[in-house]
Amino acid sequence: MTSIDWDIDWRGAPEAGLTDGNTQVVMNQFPRWVGNLEMTMRDDFLRSWRAHRWQAQGRVGAYRIYMFDPLGFSAQVLLGRAAVAGGIPFSTGETFSTGMGFAPNVYLEAEAASAGDTCVTVSCSEADLVPVPGQIMSVGDWPFGVVSVESTGATQYRLGVQMPLRADIADGDLVSCLATGLFEVDDDLAGAAPYGKLNSSTFNIAFREVLNR
């Protein structure tokens, strides 16, 4: 990805002027994450991308996406380039039959919280993994943005989040440092990747979060 733009679409109604000079903003109760990505691919990656697009059948299917965001969480820096490219192997060094290891991600244990809460407490014993404001994390494929981080103990951190949690969390549930989410496209031809002599293609694609699950 050569350009990354993950953001929350608040889906507010158009601004309306009031007679007293103030403005009124009406917010939708179902905001969602959106992503606009520019990608450059060639050879095997490009061929694999085409296969994924064909499986999704345009607007019919949904994509489960790792919301790569090196500004908030750099998996390559923390886990290593090899782990990101080939996955994390078993403790014996073996991989799955495909030659790939486990998906490269880091998880923190959370304390119980309810849907609608604007904070969640997580345990983290490694300084490099402590969440930071501006990071995108997720629980059960529901992404949220971290807006504040407060230490509440030796390894406990209370995270102020936006948007509010959209699913209940039980004690010990895992929070993904590299957020995942379910997304769809709004155009059947989204992500089309024309290529030239070098089997290389640069293209843009826009995703919007799937809310009905």
Side-chain angles (χ1 to χ4, degrees):
M1 288 184 286
T2 57
S3 179
I4 302 171
D5 181 16
W6 295 110
D7 206 352
I8 301 174
D9 177 9
W10 297 108
R11 305 175 75 183
E15 184 177 282
L18 302 180
T19 56
D20 59 4
N22 292 316
T23 57
Q24 179 181 11
V25 179
V26 179
M27 303 304 296
N28 189 297
Q29 63 177 323
F30 298 112
R32 63 188 174 192
W33 285 88
V34 293
N36 289 284
L37 310 177
E38 180 182 84
M39 295 186 277
T40 297
M41 297 183 189
R42 61 175 301 165
D43 300 329
D44 290 348
F45 282 102
L46 185 56
R47 187 166 52 248
S48 177
W49 169 246
R50 290 202 306 182
H52 285 302
R53 283 189 65 247
W54 293 338
Q55 284 181 300
Q57 302 178 65
R59 293 168 294 165
V60 173
Y63 296 80
R64 183 176 186 265
I65 295 178
Y66 284 92
M67 298 170 67
F68 287 105
D69 178 42
L71 183 64
F73 178 83
S74 178
Q76 286 192 352
V77 170
L78 293 173
L79 303 178
R81 187 177 297 273
V84 173
I88 300 173
F90 289 91
S91 59
T92 59
E94 297 179 342
T95 60
F96 292 101
S97 60
T98 60
M100 298 290 290
F102 292 95
N105 206 343
V106 176
Y107 301 92
L108 305 179
E109 284 193 0
E111 294 183 1
S114 300
D117 285 354
T118 56
C119 64
V120 59
T121 298
V122 297
S123 299
C124 182
S125 59
E126 297 185 43
D128 289 342
L129 298 180
V130 175
V132 293
Q135 182 174 343
I136 305 172
M137 305 178 75
S138 65
V139 176
D141 291 334
W142 289 109
F144 60 82
V146 178
V147 295
S148 65
V149 179
E150 176 189 0
S151 175
T152 60
T155 61
Q156 302 293 109
Y157 297 87
R158 181 182 293 112
L159 311 181
V161 304
Q162 189 66 269
M163 56 188 63
L165 297 177
R166 292 173 289 172
D168 292 339
I169 299 176
D171 273 328
D173 278 356
L174 299 180
V175 176
S176 302
C177 291
L178 174 59
T180 60
L182 299 182
F183 292 86
E184 63 186 0
V185 297
D186 61 2
D187 185 334
D188 287 338
L189 298 180
Y195 62 94
K197 292 182 179 180
L198 299 179
N199 292 346
S200 177
S201 180
T202 297
F203 58 93
N204 291 81
I205 186 169
F207 292 104
R208 62 187 183 192
E209 189 180 13
V210 175
L211 298 180
N212 296 325
R213 308 184 184 181

